[in-house]
């Protein structure tokens, strides 16, 4: 029997060690000595009982007390108040596991309760590299139904009846596209999948391909049957290595089962596909540029007509559908077009997947029925804007889209309704912006993207977007002039009217929509040389409001260029000559006294 | 591999569906690692390594580990879903190696749901909405 009155154990498992158990033990031993408890308290190595997630853990086994998440400085307090004083420190104690019932159910959780998983029905539930698991979830039964019980015409009718529209953004009825291609006479036709997801802030297609690659493959085989194609390509960007890997595994497994290849399911129908890795040019998401890229040429759009449904890849009739569009097909065939059309608004049916990101609490993939309001997505599902900041706008459709301000947040998810407020449905990128986002700066960012990604074929797009960028850069730098706004509008009009493809036709949209809703911000930049959101650093002169300053010195510590003078109990002062306008002080100030 | 027929598809479904549903399996636990791009970027790989380490220490052969993709809420990644026989699957959020060890030792081995790290509980497999 030990002569010591009390034993304290410090866990030495890998988890607790990683979180700093050794330093806690050292501090504990030191405190025991300084409190002259050497003869009474013994510090031993012990075990955390698996509580290392909030390690390091120490225990006083004799009393059943467990402390967790300790820092070295907590040790002295524990020795003084608990081991010497006899009163355990409740704040640091492990409270025991909570009741499992306190964890919200998926059907009650704010993020998931209003979502409806059709396209994402298998997300996170199956191993995407196991074809059997996909089949277990009714995978390839849509294909079986289409091949054994339906004529190609019937398949097209079912997709038409579903009201499914292209999820890549333009919203062209999928069934119509298929009907045109089915009606084209040719011995060779192609089915193409557009997985060239390039909008900043969009990651829907990547997630679908990673979580459920077979759903896209199944959709492509059904499409091939509908239009009479025997070959297909998935055009996926090289930047998606995991998606490409899982697609390759899926294609190999489908070939193994004869779901790709000749005589599929013993029905005599042949179809096979391969992946074409695109190098990531934004314009290659445009259908004719995508086809040029597969043909080995430079990715540049060409005039239409002829439309791809008549002359597409290698001048053969082709259809190009987006990943999400194709992922809907098997469900439509399996459950019927009427089932699909029962959900949604008058002209937009089914569900839509959005990639919700930006200044919002819950970031992720959101699948909602058409007709859900943007407000519900941002506030109910997204949980609203964090850090007590005010909502400013949500950008839909990336660089081709527009922003929707607070006043129009009750707009519902519907191709026409969203277009009415100056944005587009787009492929599903949804970026939430708060009051700290400068709308001129945002427009500048997207214009920089567009002028970078313009293929250069059409002069208005190639040169015009460059000039627009220069004007926006000048405005952000405080060199804007009053006529700049008119110049931007005039250039936008010309670029929209005279560009061949969607990139140029929609490129000015971010500028036009920010001018529509946030013209005052442009005017503040130009007339008053002021950035209301305090983002355009050229327009900011940082100084400290001595009345608000808490004299805490955080700005002094954060400043990388030693431009801030501060002493204890004195307000900070910024030397504007040394200030590099990095915003470090602005961001750390707890009292918002710097501007 | 011979070509599958529609009948074979049905057989595969019948054979595989029970393996997805823990209730019809002999295993005591199923741990789903959500390893899409977002999960991996958020740090799912060290979580997986910690799990493998714990598994080898525990020496249990009735625990199945499944690699899956993004569960949808990217800001809560890395996610790990733990399902014990006869209990609702629990999705854990913001996992790291230490949290994984705690979830494994306390929840998987001792049945205590670690509510401090839990994001949500799911309905039993296959009973949630979507599809038919």
């Amino acid at each position: 029997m030990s002569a010591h009155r009390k034993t304290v154990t410090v866990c030495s498992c890998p988890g607790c060690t990683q979180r700093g158990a050794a330093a806690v033990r050292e501090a504990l031993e030191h405190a025991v000595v300084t409190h002259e408890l050497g003869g009474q308290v013994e510090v031993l190595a012990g075990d955390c009982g698996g509580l290392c997630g909030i390690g390091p853990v120490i225990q006083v086994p004799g009393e059943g007390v467990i402390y967790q998440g300790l820092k070295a400085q907590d040790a002295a307090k524990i020795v003084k108040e608990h081991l010497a004083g006899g009163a355990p420190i409740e704040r640091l104690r492990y409270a025991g596991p909570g009741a499992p019932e306190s964890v919200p159910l998926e059907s009650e959780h704010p993020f998931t309760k209003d979502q409806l998983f059709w396209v994402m029905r298998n997300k996170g539930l199956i191993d995407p590299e196991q074809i059997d698991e996909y089949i277990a979830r009714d995978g390839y039964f849509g294909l079986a139904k289409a091949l054994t019980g339906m004529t190609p015409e019937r398949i097209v009718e079912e997709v038409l009846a579903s009201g499914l529209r292209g999820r890549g953004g333009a919203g062209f009825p999928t069934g119509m596209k298929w009907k045109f291609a089915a009606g084209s006479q040719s011995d060779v036709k192609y089915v193409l999948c557009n997985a060239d997801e390039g909008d900043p802030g969009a990651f829907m297609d990547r997630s679908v391909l990673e979580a459920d690659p077979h759903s896209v493959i199944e959709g492509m085989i059904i499409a091939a049957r509908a239009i009479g194609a025997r070959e297909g390509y998935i055009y996926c960007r090289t930047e998606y290595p995991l998606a490409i890997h899982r697609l390759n595994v899926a294609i190999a497994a489908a070939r193994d089962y004869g779901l790709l290849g000749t005589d599929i399911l013993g029905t005599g129908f042949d179809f096979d596909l391969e992946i074409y890795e695109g190098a990531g040019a934004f314009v290659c998401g445009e259908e004719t540029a995508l086809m040029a890229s597969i043909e080995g040429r430079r990715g540049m759009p060409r005039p239409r007509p002829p439309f791809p449904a008549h002359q597409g890849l290698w001048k053969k009739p082709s259809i190009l559908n987006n990943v999400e569009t194709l992922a809907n097909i098997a469900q439509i065939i399996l459950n019927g077009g009427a089932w699909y059309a029962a959900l949604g608004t008058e002209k937009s049916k089914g569900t839509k997947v959005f990639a919700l990101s930006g200044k919002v609490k819950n970031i992720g993939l959101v699948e909602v029925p058409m007709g859900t309001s943007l407000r519900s997505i941002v506030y109910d599902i997204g949980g609203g804007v964090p850090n007590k900041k005010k909502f400013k706008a949500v950008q839909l459709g990336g660089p081709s889209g527009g922003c929707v301000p607070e006043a129009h947040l009750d707009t519902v998810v519907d191709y026409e309704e969203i277009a009415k407020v100056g944005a587009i449905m787009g492929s599903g990128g949804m970026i939430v912006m708060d009051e700290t986002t400068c709308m001129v700066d945002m427009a500048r960012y997207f214009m920089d993207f567009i002028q970078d990604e313009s293929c250069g074929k059409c002069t208005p797009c190639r040169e015009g977007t460059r000039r627009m960028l220069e004007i926006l850069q000048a405005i952000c730098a405080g060199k804007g002039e009053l006529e700049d706004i008119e110049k931007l509008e005039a250039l936008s009009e010309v670029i929209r009217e005279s560009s061949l493809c969607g990139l140029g036709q929609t490129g000015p949209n971010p500028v036009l929509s920010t001018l529509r809703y946030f013209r005052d911000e442009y005017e503040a930049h130009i007339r008053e040389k002021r950035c209301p959101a305090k983002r355009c650093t050229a327009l900011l002169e940082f100084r400290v409001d001595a009345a608000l300053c808490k004299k805490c010195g955080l700005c002094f510590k954060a400043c990388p260029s030693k431009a801030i003078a501060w002493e204890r109990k004195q307000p900070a002062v910024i030397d504007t000559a040394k200030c590099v306008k990095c915003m470090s002080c602005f961001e750390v100030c707890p009292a918002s006294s710097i501007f | 591999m011979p070509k599958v027929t529609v009948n074979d598809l049905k057989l595969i479904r019948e054979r595989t569906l029970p393996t997805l549903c823990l209730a019809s399996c002999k295993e005591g636990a199923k741990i789903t690692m959500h390893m899409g791009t977002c999960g991996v970027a958020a740090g799912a790989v060290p979580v997986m390594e910690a799990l493998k380490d714990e598994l080898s220490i525990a020496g249990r052969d009735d625990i199945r580990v499944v690699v899956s993709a993004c569960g949808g809420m990217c800001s809560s990644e890395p996610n790990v879903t733990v399902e014990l026989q006869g209990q609702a699957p629990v999705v854990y959020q913001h996992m790291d190696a230490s949290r994984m060890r705690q979830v494994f030792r306390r929840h998987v081995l001792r049945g205590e749901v670690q509510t401090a790290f839990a994001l949500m509980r799911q309905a039993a497999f296959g009973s949630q909405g979507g599809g038919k």
Side-chain angles (χ1 to χ4, degrees):
Chain A
M1 177 116 186
S2 166
H4 296 96
R5 205 160 52 84
K6 275 183 185 168
T7 303
V8 182
T9 64
V10 182
C11 175
S12 56
C13 79
C16 289
T17 304
Q18 194 185 0
R19 285 173 169 266
V24 170
R25 179 165 181 176
E26 198 178 303
L28 206 57
E29 284 168 344
H30 181 72
V32 166
V33 174
T34 53
H35 282 84
E36 295 175 353
L37 295 171
Q40 299 170 47
V41 176
E42 186 180 28
V43 181
L44 297 173
D47 176 60
C48 63
L51 290 172
C52 28
I54 329 180
V57 169
I58 72 168
Q59 302 197 44
V60 186
E63 302 174 18
V65 174
I66 304 172
Y67 289 116
Q68 62 175 179
L70 297 181
K71 298 192 177 69
Q73 58 263 37
D74 294 322
K77 206 169 154 65
I78 289 171
V79 172
K80 185 180 168 199
E81 294 180 21
H82 181 183
L83 301 179
I89 304 165
E90 295 302 325
R91 181 177 61 83
L92 298 171
R93 279 182 77 167
Y94 170 58
E101 294 72 32
S102 66
V103 179
L105 282 168
E106 191 173 21
S107 54
E108 299 163 347
H109 194 282
F111 184 71
T112 37
K113 77 178 165 61
D114 295 325
Q115 294 198 51
L116 184 61
F117 300 126
W118 281 7
V119 169
M120 302 199 296
R121 58 192 292 275
N122 287 329
K123 59 144 186 113
L125 291 177
I126 61 167
D127 181 344
E129 298 189 12
Q130 298 295 330
I131 188 170
D132 285 3
E133 297 196 2
Y134 177 69
I135 293 171
R137 299 268 295 156
D138 297 330
Y140 289 109
F141 282 88
L143 174 68
K145 184 176 171 185
L147 289 190
T148 57
M150 294 167 85
T151 61
E153 296 76 32
R154 184 88 194 85
I155 298 173
V156 173
E157 276 168 31
E158 211 61 66
V159 175
L160 271 173
S162 74
L164 176 66
R165 296 169 64 175
R167 296 291 192 247
F172 190 79
T174 306
M176 292 297 280
K177 211 182 231 184
W178 290 18
K179 197 174 173 181
F180 293 145
S184 295
Q185 296 303 316
S186 174
D187 50 340
V188 178
K189 296 182 186 179
Y190 294 102
V191 171
L192 310 174
C193 168
N194 190 345
D196 191 53
E197 184 174 54
D199 295 12
F203 46 90
M204 304 75 51
D205 295 350
R206 187 192 70 206
S207 290
V208 170
L209 290 172
E210 285 177 7
D212 205 8
H214 285 287
S215 67
V216 179
I217 295 170
E218 186 180 3
M220 286 182 77
I221 309 172
I222 295 171
R225 170 69 170 174
I227 69 159
R230 293 161 52 115
E231 285 172 65
Y233 289 93
I234 298 175
Y235 189 89
C236 187
R237 43 182 38 222
T238 312
E239 288 98 323
Y240 284 180
L242 185 61
I244 289 172
H245 166 75
R246 288 189 174 162
L247 270 172
N248 274 321
V249 171
I251 290 170
R255 277 197 195 124
D256 251 6
Y257 274 179
L259 294 166
L260 285 173
T262 52
D263 193 20
I264 295 170
L265 290 169
T267 59
F269 177 65
D270 307 338
F271 179 72
D272 208 340
L273 60 82
E274 59 183 279
I275 299 171
Y276 190 93
E277 291 184 32
F282 184 60
V283 74
C284 287
E286 196 279 341
E287 59 181 3
T288 58
L290 184 151
M291 290 171 195
S293 175
I294 294 179
E295 289 169 8
R297 293 183 288 123
R298 182 172 167 183
M300 272 184 159
R302 63 157 175 81
R304 294 170 297 181
F307 284 95
H310 302 122
Q311 276 187 40
L313 186 61
W314 285 300
K315 295 204 163 39
K316 300 295 182 187
S318 309
I319 52 166
L320 174 71
N321 288 124
N322 164 268
V323 167
E324 188 187 336
T325 312
L326 288 165
N328 272 299
I329 298 296
Q331 296 297 307
I332 289 171
I333 297 300
L334 210 50
N335 302 308
W339 163 82
Y340 195 84
L343 185 74
T345 61
E346 192 192 339
K347 287 184 176 168
S348 305
K349 305 296 187 189
T351 62
K352 177 76 194 93
V353 182
F354 289 100
L356 185 63
S357 69
K359 301 291 177 64
V360 63
K361 272 184 198 144
N362 302 331
I363 290 169
L365 286 179
V366 171
E367 182 171 6
V368 289
M370 293 285 188
T372 304
S373 77
L374 296 178
R375 186 181 299 279
S376 167
I377 297 175
V378 172
Y379 282 95
D380 299 339
I381 296 173
V385 179
N387 303 326
K388 295 181 184 159
K389 293 281 195 296
K390 258 170 65 189
F391 172 88
K392 186 180 254 180
V394 56
Q395 175 78 16
L396 294 179
S400 305
C403 60
V404 180
E406 172 80 37
H408 293 291
L409 211 48
D410 288 314
T411 305
V412 298
V413 175
D414 174 290
Y415 289 94
E416 279 71 27
E417 291 299 315
I418 288 180
K420 273 187 207 161
V421 294
I424 60 166
M425 178 83 92
S427 58
M430 193 182 266
I431 304 168
V432 180
M433 294 171 284
D434 69 10
E435 56 189 325
T436 65
T437 309
C438 169
M439 300 312 273
V440 185
D441 183 50
M442 196 274 292
R444 183 196 57 76
Y445 167 78
F446 279 124
M447 195 47 70
D448 192 11
F449 180 84
I450 287 291
Q451 67 88 23
D452 209 28
E453 294 291 345
S454 170
C455 78
K457 183 168 187 165
C458 309
T459 312
C461 175
R462 183 185 69 234
E463 301 296 332
T465 55
R466 182 88 216 190
R467 298 288 91 77
M468 286 181 75
L469 173 65
E470 285 167 2
I471 294 172
L472 291 164
Q473 283 171 334
I475 296 175
C476 289
K479 294 173 186 153
E481 290 163 11
L482 266 180
E483 58 269 28
D484 280 349
I485 294 182
E486 279 164 38
K487 273 191 205 159
L488 283 173
E489 284 172 331
L491 274 168
S492 296
E493 207 48 46
V494 174
I495 296 168
R496 276 167 70 141
E497 293 290 320
S498 52
S499 295
L500 186 58
C501 80
L503 190 149
Q505 287 162 10
T506 61
N509 279 358
V511 173
L512 291 172
S513 83
T514 47
L515 272 173
R516 176 171 170 179
Y517 295 116
F518 300 96
R519 204 183 187 93
D520 56 326
E521 289 200 21
Y522 281 84
E523 288 171 352
H525 280 76
I526 296 170
R527 286 174 201 269
E528 306 163 38
K529 308 295 175 204
R530 181 174 67 85
C531 175
K534 300 192 175 73
R535 279 289 126 185
C536 299
T537 48
L539 301 183
L540 300 178
E541 180 123 310
F542 291 88
R543 59 185 185 83
V544 180
D545 185 334
L548 292 173
C549 181
K550 288 189 163 174
K551 309 173 177 96
C552 64
L554 283 176
C555 56
F556 170 77
K557 286 171 195 151
C559 181
S561 61
K562 299 192 165 50
I564 299 181
W566 168 82
E567 275 173 47
R568 246 171 245 284
K569 298 182 183 172
Q570 292 297 321
V573 179
I574 299 175
D575 179 352
T576 48
K578 283 188 192 166
C579 175
V580 293
K581 299 185 175 183
C582 67
M583 305 202 62
S584 302
C585 57
F586 177 83
E587 275 153 18
V588 296
C589 180
S592 306
S593 71
I594 296 174
F595 49 84
Chain B
M1 184 82 198
K3 281 184 179 46
V4 300
T5 62
V6 176
N7 210 36
D8 295 332
L9 278 183
K10 287 179 184 159
L11 291 175
I12 294 169
R13 178 169 63 181
E14 272 168 38
R15 186 179 74 210
T16 314
L17 195 54
T19 68
L20 290 177
C21 179
L22 193 63
S24 49
C25 299
K26 59 183 191 324
E27 281 115 337
K30 176 176 165 184
I31 304 173
T32 307
M33 307 297 287
H34 298 279
M35 296 182 83
T37 295
C38 47
V40 171
V45 172
V47 177
M48 185 66 167
E49 280 163 10
L51 174 64
K52 282 182 181 160
D53 189 37
E54 288 295 329
L55 273 169
S56 69
I57 295 169
R60 290 256 302 263
D61 57 0
D62 67 331
I63 296 170
R64 182 148 43 117
V65 177
V66 179
V67 173
S68 188
C70 174
M73 195 168 166
C74 308
S75 55
S76 68
E77 299 275 1
N79 290 141
V80 174
T81 303
V82 172
E83 181 179 7
L84 296 190
Q85 192 61 265
Q87 292 177 21
V90 176
V91 183
Y92 288 104
Q93 61 178 340
H94 302 305
M95 294 299 277
D96 58 22
S98 307
R99 284 180 165 210
M100 186 68 242
R101 289 179 194 277
Q102 175 165 343
V103 165
F104 185 84
R105 293 187 189 185
R106 304 293 288 207
H107 186 177
V108 179
L109 297 183
R110 293 165 63 164
E112 282 175 11
V113 175
Q114 297 301 300
T115 53
F117 314 146
L119 173 67
M120 59 176 81
R121 284 180 297 151
Q122 291 177 329
F125 190 89
S127 62
Q128 98 283 17
K132 52 170 205 170

